[in-house]
Amino acid sequence: MDGHAGSGKTTFAGQLAGALGGAPVLHLDDLATHEEPFAWTARLREQVLAPLGRGEEARYRPYDWHRRAFGPPRPLPAAPVVLLEGVGAGRRAVRPVLARLLWMEVDARTAHGRGQARDGAEQAAFWRGWVPAERRHFASDPSRPFADTLVRPGAAEPALLSGPGRDGRQPPSP
């Protein structure tokens, strides 16, 4: 599940995990840091994808955003479906191992406003740096063009729409 910060990825991942009988969820916020908001790919490969690829439980060290340090290892069980959610979850380095890519169809301005309201004044400085960093990330490594499904959050239920990358079609060139 990918989309702008504040677009509802975590909420939707929780709903989907429940609908799938308790599928485990990995939040990419646990692998990112203040200094490296998008430099988590190696941690994802080593701590999560490699063990899950062998059918083993993964053990990753989640980042504590208040202490600004990685914490003790946390288990992520091997399961038929493991949900990965976070900004950049559909990046080019990760797409080959994804069964499906979902994109939260919320425009950046709305999503960022929601995220800032959620995080409050304590994270205001982070957001000032985050918005341009996210913009640069998606400009250089977009996910939405490869999404199998677009998730449009709604008041009662989200709408699920066919995405531009569904059925392996390549998106149009920019």
Side-chain angles (χ1 to χ4, degrees):
M1 233 151 286
D2 203 341
H4 299 288
S7 63
K9 295 176 301 301
T10 301
T11 300
F12 186 70
Q15 294 168 340
L16 185 56
L20 293 170
V25 179
L26 175 67
H27 306 281
L28 289 175
D29 284 353
D30 286 344
L31 299 180
T33 70
H34 283 90
E35 295 77 24
E36 301 175 320
F38 294 103
W40 45 256
T41 307
R43 285 188 286 276
L44 176 66
R45 275 193 202 114
E46 294 163 11
Q47 297 177 24
V48 178
L49 298 179
L52 291 180
R54 296 187 301 266
E56 301 169 1
E57 175 182 86
R59 297 191 59 78
Y60 65 97
R61 295 185 58 220
Y63 183 72
D64 183 320
W65 288 87
H66 298 285
R67 287 186 32 244
R68 292 180 172 249
F70 286 100
R74 182 181 294 169
L76 183 70
V81 174
V82 176
L83 301 175
L84 175 67
E85 74 83 16
V87 176
R91 67 182 358 166
R92 127 182 2 97
V94 177
R95 280 194 297 269
V97 300
L98 300 178
R100 308 267 310 164
L101 174 56
L102 285 68
W103 174 265
M104 299 303 291
E105 190 73 346
V106 176
D107 69 271
R109 184 181 183 123
T110 300
H112 294 157
R114 289 169 43 181
Q116 289 172 8
R118 171 197 67 209
D119 294 346
E122 179 181 324
Q123 294 293 333
F126 172 77
W127 275 95
R128 282 191 296 278
W130 173 263
V131 171
E134 181 187 274
R135 191 175 299 124
R136 286 189 303 274
H137 167 72
F138 283 132
S140 67
D141 193 355
S143 301
R144 187 187 184 283
F146 299 93
D148 299 293
T149 303
L150 303 177
V151 180
R152 190 171 291 148
E157 299 247 344
L160 303 177
L161 311 166
S162 252
R166 186 169 174 99
D167 300 324
R169 291 186 325 240
Q170 291 300 312
S173 297

